[in-house]
């Protein structure tokens, strides 16, 4: 059986890194391609990955079409968790739009340039931030909730526009999964005013990077049902992973 080629973005981040880690465990079935900016920090953090068999790193930028095209060409699946998130997106809203929307424009253009774009599967990672604060009566998120990003949330606005591009792309195989709050060990080390943008009673649902990475890897497998595609989903940890922002601060 020939291997599939997976192009995965954002491997220096939480979800993308976890996805790459899980895919490496399945390398007998997948060849892996990723795109990373050639910064000194990225060169250092990806040094071991670059030496792994079956892995190709393209040093470039998601906002450069030629770099994206080099990764999409020959790919069977595109996993796109990379994004400029808050608080960086708050401080540079134009940059957030260039990355979050521009990268999707480039990915879609590159897929459509392939000889058979209908065979390529695209997994877009959105955000529950697209539906804004989780207050009553919309306390726990549902995929049918209206798009109502919180005021001044440049990240959420850019992810809404990116998801719309995917949904209206005309691709045969696409899916958009809206990520919730990934729990990382240094969550409360984020000393930025964004920590106090949330209403105290807004509902937060955690998810681990490991579980999100599993989702990315599992979406590449042959047993994914046809009904999975051309839909929207929320990624979360379930009832036991829910609490309010006030409860988080108290803990």
């Amino acid at each position: 059986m020939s291997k599939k080629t997976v192009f995965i973005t954002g491997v220096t981040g939480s979800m993308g890194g976890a996805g790459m880690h899980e895919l490496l465990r399945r390398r007998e079935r997948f060849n892996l391609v990723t795109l990373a900016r050639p910064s000194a920090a990225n060169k250092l953090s990806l040094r071991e990955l670059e030496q792994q068999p079956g892995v190709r790193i393209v040093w470039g930028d998601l906002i450069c079409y030629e770099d994206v095209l080099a990764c999409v060409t020959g790919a069977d699946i595109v996993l796109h968790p990379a994004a400029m998130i808050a608080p960086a997106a708050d401080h540079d809203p134009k940059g957030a739009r260039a990355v979050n929307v521009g990268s999707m424009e480039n990915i879609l253009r590159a897929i459509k340039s392939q000889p058979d774009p209908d065979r390529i599967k695209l997994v877009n990672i959105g955000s529950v931030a697209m539906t804004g604060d989780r207050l009553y009566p919309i306390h726990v998120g549902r995929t049918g909730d209206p798009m109502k990003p919180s005021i001044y949330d440049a990240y959420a606005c850019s992810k809404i526009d990116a998801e719309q591009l995917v949904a209206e792309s005309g691709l045969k195989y696409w899916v958009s999964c809206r990520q919730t709050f990934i729990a990382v060990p240094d969550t409360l080390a984020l000393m930025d005013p964004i920590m106090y943008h949330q209403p105290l009673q807004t509902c937060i649902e955690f998810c681990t990077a490991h579980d999100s990475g599993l989702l990315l890897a599992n979406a590449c497998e042959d047993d994914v049902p046809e009904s999975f595609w051309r839909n929207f989903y929320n990624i979360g940890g379930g009832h036991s992973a829910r609490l309010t922002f006030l409860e988080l601060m108290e803990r």
Side-chain angles (χ1 to χ4, degrees):
M1 182 179 68
S2 62
K3 290 184 178 181
K4 293 181 182 178
T5 296
V6 179
F7 169 36
I8 177 172
T9 70
V11 298
T12 58
S14 296
M15 186 175 185
M20 174 61 85
H21 178 76
E22 183 60 32
L23 285 165
L24 285 171
R25 298 177 57 196
R26 313 179 191 192
R27 70 179 76 195
E28 75 280 0
R29 299 195 295 281
F30 301 111
N31 290 314
L32 306 173
V33 180
T34 191
L35 176 62
R37 289 181 297 105
S39 65
N42 285 351
K43 288 275 189 176
L44 180 62
S45 67
L46 298 179
R47 183 172 55 188
E48 292 187 9
L49 179 65
E50 194 171 22
Q51 299 171 357
Q52 295 284 342
V55 175
R56 178 167 67 98
I57 298 178
V58 175
W59 297 104
D61 201 308
L62 281 165
I63 63 175
C64 174
Y65 173 70
E66 287 73 20
D67 295 341
V68 173
L69 180 63
C71 297
V72 170
T73 298
D76 300 289
I77 303 161
V78 178
L79 307 175
H80 186 39
M84 180 186 287
I85 63 174
D90 289 346
H91 301 302
D92 184 10
K94 290 184 178 179
R97 183 170 186 82
V99 172
N100 299 342
V101 181
S103 64
M104 184 52 66
E105 291 173 335
N106 287 337
I107 288 172
L108 291 172
R109 178 184 170 192
I111 291 175
K112 291 179 179 181
S113 76
Q114 301 304 302
D116 185 9
D118 280 350
R119 71 169 184 82
I120 301 173
K121 296 178 170 66
L122 171 62
V123 179
N124 172 60
I125 301 301
S127 171
V128 294
M130 296 157 58
T131 53
D133 295 322
R134 317 308 312 170
L135 295 170
Y136 182 86
I138 308 174
H139 198 53
V140 177
R142 301 161 300 183
T143 55
D145 289 341
M147 298 293 101
K148 55 173 194 62
S150 300
I151 191 169
Y152 304 128
D153 191 343
Y155 167 67
C157 290
S158 67
K159 297 302 281 185
I160 289 172
D161 289 347
E163 184 179 89
Q164 182 175 356
L165 289 173
V166 174
E168 297 178 354
S169 65
L171 295 183
K172 182 177 181 180
Y173 291 107
W174 62 266
V175 70
S176 190
C177 300
R178 299 167 186 166
Q179 179 63 274
T180 189
F181 189 22
I182 290 183
V184 292
D186 59 348
T187 294
L188 294 183
L190 177 63
M191 297 306 295
D192 187 274
I194 194 174
M195 287 292 288
Y196 303 98
H197 288 190
Q198 296 85 252
L200 289 177
Q201 295 302 324
T202 197
C203 184
I204 299 170
E205 183 169 328
F206 283 93
C207 185
T208 65
H210 174 262
D211 282 351
S212 295
L214 276 176
L215 180 147
L216 289 174
N218 288 346
C220 300
E221 298 288 3
D222 289 334
D223 59 357
V224 176
E226 184 75 18
S227 59
F228 173 75
W229 303 102
R230 297 174 296 280
N231 280 313
F232 306 89
Y233 302 92
N234 288 341
I235 306 172
H239 187 271
S240 63
R242 296 171 187 161
L243 73 171
T244 66
F245 182 61
L246 178 58
E247 289 170 333
L248 174 65
M249 292 294 98
E250 289 173 340
R251 293 186 189 186

